Amino acid sequence: MRLRALLETNTLGLRLLGGEEELDRTVRGVMTTDLRDPSRYLSGGELVLTGLAWRREPDDSERFVRILAGAGVAGLAAGEAELGAIPDDLVQACARHRLPLFSVVEDVSFASITEHVVRQVSSERAGDLAAVVDRHRRLMTSGPAGGGPEVVLDLLGSDLDLRAWVLSPTGRQIAGSTLADSGPELPGELAARLAGEHLAASRTGRRGPHRVTLGNATYSLFPIRYDGRDLRETLLSDWLLAVEADAGDWSAERLDLLTGVTQLIAVERDRRDAARTVRRRLAQEVLELVQTGAPPAEIAARLRVAAPVLLPGLGTAPHWQIVVARVEWEGGDLPGGPVAQALLEEVLVDPGTFGPEPSDRIAVAHTGDEAVALVPLPAVPDESGETSVAGLHADALLTGIQDPLSRGLDGDGRLTVGVSASVHSAEGLRGALEEARHARRVAAARPGRVCAAGHEELASHVLLLPFVPDDVRRAFTARLLDPLRDYDRRHRAELIPTLEAFLDCDGSWTRCATRLHLHVNTLRYRVGRIEQLTGRDLSRLEDKLDFFLALRMS
């Protein structure tokens, strides 16, 4: 298609800001990016869509446009949602480099433009390839009756004799062909290996498709929905298309066709991702209530709202389990919370299930570098009629994800996961959250890129403290620590840090004084003041233990 055809479609919301004499350029594809330098992902002929997040100062426009012009893109469309009106420096830079520039109104999504361009470009392919893409488009956009990714894969099999599967980054099968003669399903171990190969190749920045030979078969792996963000933000959550064929022998037209197919599947992925918004909001609300010490009755009311959304038709309130995950990148330059959130939404799906629907039963929130999943556990009747709850186990979670995700994180980051015991009421959620966080710290102490630990691995006070009721916790810590906090606030005496160091040094005066850079007599004076204010004796084991627990619970 040519650029000027975009202006003839009013629903796209495009307005030409410059480059009218260049509107006969041919558009061969579309790419969404906010990278400051997207050159390695450009091959020429693209319509580039950008939200302008790369622009920090006016001089950035010249650099960005120069890169696009050098890569031979067909045109640039900038969204108005971020900055409102398109900056004059961008308009001028595009004019200098003879690059057509469009503005995109705020209420038109880039996904709509992408789908339109893919449809138009695909429909102009010659012969049978154009017909196949058009059939894909009609079936993918015709609503529930159109099927979904399975319909696309069926058409690849029937029209092009290609066996293909849509896989998650851990290798779980999202979709496969439903044709009776399409052959056996992709074995789970093979799918996990393909996912690992894809993550390892993508992490190095190599463009797809990635070709890999396993056994007697060669597979070509196409990324789905790479939108130009930092690769670490999307690599561990995006789907991939695995095709049993060697794409190295394909014509440019067939490669373009498969790229168009991935973009059509990406539209379906975006549609289903939108459904996660409600579950994420529910999880965030529950998490905030739990962390701020809200009354159990208020948390229970919120859970009653969440249960029907996560488990439609469930007659009774389920048990709940908390899973905490943290993604930490080398250098710490990228927040790990959103990545951990997307990972948990995938990792907590039963690996034996197909399709995206099981993820509808998981609500995941994130804060900072941490993601917290609220997992409902319905009671399941056994053969005798008794009901039981089958909870998640850390070892089982690791089984299917450790190898592919380790390859995706190799050299860049770590994923650590902690799993709580199940609780049956809102009163237990505070303890379950702390327990999952303790378990994650146990996992973080282990070697490896992907580690997990469960509540059963915790010991001593670490297991007991999370389940102390909030009112008991507050009363216990207030009685022992509030006098010291008040004194520190009035006199800047640092009694609390002194107490922590003294207990950490097992009551050794010499070691504690050395750690705090104090004279032993000064340390003795501070400890004496602690004992005077609290009425306790730090030479007694019982009092030492009480202070230790109070500090851990505060």
Side-chain angles (χ1 to χ4, degrees):
M1 67 177 297
R2 299 187 184 278
L3 277 176
R4 66 173 65 254
L6 296 173
L7 294 174
E8 298 169 1
T9 307
N10 294 331
T11 57
L12 294 183
L14 294 177
R15 182 166 60 93
L16 184 65
L17 300 182
E20 184 174 1
E21 64 279 10
E22 305 290 337
L23 290 181
D24 285 328
R25 291 186 181 185
T26 299
V27 179
R28 297 186 177 87
V30 62
M31 177 190 179
T32 301
T33 184
D34 275 313
L35 290 175
R36 294 171 65 84
D37 181 3
S39 57
R40 63 176 176 170
Y41 304 109
L42 298 171
S43 57
E46 296 93 348
L47 172 67
V48 174
L49 306 176
T50 181
L52 300 177
W54 49 265
R55 182 184 178 275
R56 300 170 186 170
E57 56 187 17
D59 289 343
D60 289 341
S61 294
E62 170 63 22
R63 180 176 180 274
F64 185 75
V65 172
R66 184 171 63 250
I67 290 171
L68 298 188
V73 305
L76 174 64
E80 297 178 353
E82 182 74 17
L83 300 177
I86 305 305
D88 288 339
D89 47 86
L90 181 59
V91 176
Q92 294 165 8
C94 287
R96 285 193 294 272
H97 291 276
R98 301 178 62 84
L99 181 67
L101 174 63
F102 303 87
S103 66
V104 183
V105 296
E106 185 174 351
D107 58 352
V108 174
S109 69
F110 285 175
S112 300
I113 298 174
T114 298
E115 184 178 3
H116 176 82
V117 172
V118 170
R119 182 171 66 245
Q120 295 301 318
V121 170
S122 299
S123 66
E124 293 172 7
R125 305 279 186 219
D128 293 339
L129 295 179
V132 173
V133 171
D134 189 58
R135 289 173 64 188
H136 281 65
R137 177 193 61 78
R138 293 200 309 272
L139 289 168
M140 285 291 288
T141 59
S142 60
E150 291 82 3
V151 175
V152 179
L153 303 184
D154 283 350
L155 287 173
L156 286 179
S158 62
D159 289 44
L160 298 180
D161 196 27
L162 292 175
R163 296 182 66 217
W165 303 265
V166 178
L167 304 178
S168 77
T170 63
R172 187 176 68 88
Q173 185 168 309
I174 302 294
S177 175
T178 61
L179 296 178
D181 59 352
S182 63
E185 294 291 342
L186 199 63
E189 183 178 348
L190 175 58
R193 290 192 63 187
L194 290 176
E197 294 287 346
H198 170 73
L199 290 173
S202 298
R203 185 177 51 80
T204 63
R206 303 207 317 262
R207 298 186 63 185
H210 311 302
R211 291 176 291 154
V212 57
T213 300
L214 297 176
N216 298 321
T218 298
Y219 299 86
S220 297
L221 311 176
F222 294 80
I224 293 176
R225 201 188 65 167
Y226 178 71
D227 60 5
R229 289 178 290 168
D230 188 309
L231 190 63
R232 294 171 296 178
E233 294 184 63
T234 59
L235 177 63
L236 299 179
S237 59
D238 283 347
W239 295 349
L240 66 135
L241 177 67
V243 181
E244 189 178 1
D246 187 349
D249 300 330
W250 288 1
S251 65
E253 288 80 5
R254 179 163 288 204
L255 283 172
D256 286 345
L257 169 68
L258 266 294
T259 300
V261 168
T262 63
Q263 292 174 328
L264 288 170
I265 295 175
V267 173
E268 180 70 10
R269 170 67 189 267
D270 288 337
R271 184 180 303 156
R272 288 171 172 176
D273 277 355
R276 291 180 172 175
T277 303
V278 173
R279 297 190 299 279
R280 287 178 170 179
R281 187 172 66 248
L282 287 173
Q284 197 72 44
E285 291 173 355
V286 173
L287 177 62
E288 289 174 358
L289 290 174
V290 171
Q291 293 191 133
T292 56
E298 186 176 352
I299 300 174
R302 178 52 53 188
L303 289 179
R304 285 194 292 272
V305 173
V309 175
L310 298 178
L311 290 175
L314 189 66
T316 58
H319 288 62
W320 300 91
Q321 205 166 5
I322 299 290
V323 180
V324 171
R326 190 179 183 93
V327 172
E328 296 171 290
W329 300 107
E330 300 290 341
D333 60 329
L334 183 70
V339 181
Q341 181 182 45
L343 271 176
L344 276 187
E345 288 172 335
E346 166 55 35
V347 168
L348 296 180
V349 176
D350 183 349
T353 62
F354 291 164
E357 287 74 17
S359 64
D360 293 350
R361 299 184 176 185
I362 300 162
V364 187
H366 78 81
T367 174
D369 288 332
E370 180 185 77
V372 179
L374 182 67
V375 183
L377 302 173
V380 179
D382 57 23
E383 295 179 355
S384 65
E386 297 291 330
T387 59
S388 60
V389 175
L392 299 168
H393 295 277
D395 290 342
L397 289 180
L398 277 182
T399 299
I401 69 170
Q402 193 165 29
D403 181 63
L405 292 184
S406 292
R407 301 196 67 182
L409 288 162
D410 187 28
D412 288 327
R414 292 191 75 206
L415 167 67
T416 52
V417 180
V419 182
S420 79
S422 62
V423 295
H424 68 278
S425 68
E427 292 181 347
L429 281 181
R430 167 78 176 269
L433 177 59
E434 292 190 20
E435 188 178 55
R437 284 172 168 162
H438 282 307
R440 192 207 63 78
R441 293 188 190 100
V442 171
R446 296 170 176 167
R449 291 289 173 182
V450 179
C451 299
H455 62 92
E456 65 279 356
E457 300 182 59
L458 303 180
S460 69
H461 70 282
V462 174
L463 177 60
L464 299 176
L465 291 186
F467 295 98
V468 175
D470 287 347
D471 55 343
V472 175
R473 179 193 302 263
R474 286 191 291 267
F476 183 75
T477 57
R479 186 178 299 118
L480 283 173
L481 301 182
D482 278 3
L484 306 183
R485 292 192 180 109
D486 291 341
Y487 192 87
D488 280 348
R489 187 163 46 249
R490 287 184 282 112
H491 301 282
R492 299 181 181 179
E494 298 187 353
L495 296 185
I496 292 288
T498 300
L499 175 62
E500 291 175 331
F502 185 72
L503 295 176
D504 195 43
C505 291
D506 299 322
S508 170
W509 297 98
T510 304
R511 282 195 291 128
C512 183
T514 301
R515 173 181 292 191
L516 296 175
H517 305 289
L518 297 175
H519 191 278
V520 172
N521 289 341
T522 303
L523 176 61
R524 290 184 184 277
Y525 172 81
R526 289 188 182 180
V527 170
R529 179 63 67 182
I530 292 171
E531 294 174 333
Q532 180 185 18
L533 291 169
T534 61
R536 298 300 184 105
D537 183 354
L538 277 168
S539 67
R540 298 177 66 246
L541 176 60
E542 293 87 345
D543 288 343
K544 286 180 181 177
L545 180 59
D546 284 348
F547 278 121
F548 175 81
L549 293 175
L551 288 168
R552 289 297 182 272
M553 287 191 292
S554 64

